[in-house]
Amino acid sequence: MSDHGCAHFGAFVKEYGLEPFSVVHAYFSVCINKEARRRKALSCLCFKCGGSGPQLYSCLHCIYFGCKGAHIGEHCKQTKHYIVLELSYGMIYCHQCKDFIYDAECQAIAEKHIKKEAKSLNKSLSWRPWSPSKLEIDLLLKNPKRRHVTAVTSIGLRGLLNLGSTCFMNCIVQALIHTPLLRDYFLSERHECTAKTAAKCLVCEVSRLFQEFYSGARGPLSLHRLLHLIWNHARHLAGYEQQDAHEFFIATLDVLHRHCKISMTEMAAAAAAAAEKSNKPPPPPPPHQDSNPTQCNCIIDQIFTGGLQSDVV
């Protein structure tokens, strides 16, 4: 992707510069001051239907506001003004490319306007995506041996076969697989299970799925083993009927939590037995469990369980 938009936007900038974008973005997108908010409230109406949205565009060639779709599209065709600004998010759209475009200089201008808007409203800045600083870029350039993620990288990306109305399960599995803390836990092989329960352990199956997803293979995966285990441990989800994705998510976390606790208990018992045989003191309990026996320290609890604490001073 180019840092300077498309060829059509390049021609627009060559003829008009970045001033049209800066003015429209400052006064009709983010509103950098009180006067800008007043102007936006009075002026941001579709010239065709008089509506205010939900998605309004402004022509960057002339003074024209139009609704998404036919109204702004008609203006672009009639006047051949193809560069417009989407006002809700401040994104540039090219009607010749039929797509939103990115320009680094416009992005820098937009960031300044967002800071001015926050200062004007006396509010904190909303979350902004991370971007590397110049120092970080220099450090990355000095390390040519780092792993490169290219446009064709498929590591971690696998399709899932639908086993008969199991799209709800596929959705939740994709979300769990791409949860960074879970990914790091399973790819570092932190889960250990005994031979007795491994065949029926849902955590072992999820661990296997992580290995499959991040193996670099591109073919779709079948979740029949996972589905069978879920049916065995959450009987209300058994069958090929469509299920609620959130209900499946809660049931999966519950089963994973139970199996993690079983694995931790079995490992602790095995460690204690080994210590007894060797006449060594038993290993200490996991963190937090010694002071609160009801608190679990498994990976599922660490990620998905919250708690409230009240302090009386």
Side-chain angles (χ1 to χ4, degrees), residues 134-146:
K134 186 179 184 304
L135 176 62
E136 289 168 330
I137 292 173
D138 291 339
L139 289 173
L140 290 171
L141 292 174
K142 289 178 181 178
N143 181 20
K145 293 184 179 180
R146 67 188 186 279

Side-chain angles (χ1 to χ4, degrees), residues 49-105:
C49 67
S52 59
Q55 214 169 358
L56 204 65
Y57 287 77
S58 173
C59 177
L60 291 182
H61 298 259
C62 66
I63 301 172
Y64 187 92
F65 297 106
C67 295
K68 176 185 178 182
H71 296 169
I72 191 67
E74 287 175 9
H75 172 76
C76 292
K77 287 180 181 178
Q78 292 171 3
T79 60
K80 295 185 179 180
H81 293 171
Y82 297 114
I83 305 299
V84 299
L85 184 71
E86 194 277 327
L87 298 178
S88 296
Y89 298 97
M91 298 184 296
I92 304 168
Y93 186 85
C94 175
H95 265 272
Q96 285 179 288
C97 295
K98 302 294 182 186
D99 201 0
F100 289 99
I101 58 175
Y102 171 81
D103 181 82
E105 292 181 276

Side-chain angles (χ1 to χ4, degrees), residues 257 260-269 283-299 301-302:
H257 176 245
C260 280
K261 287 184 71 174
I262 292 171
S263 297
M264 292 172 66
T265 303
E266 290 176 345
M267 285 191 293
H288 309 300
Q289 284 195 342
D290 52 348
S291 58
N292 185 0
T294 63
Q295 184 173 353
C296 179
N297 196 43
C298 74
I299 186 63
D301 258 32
Q302 289 183 47

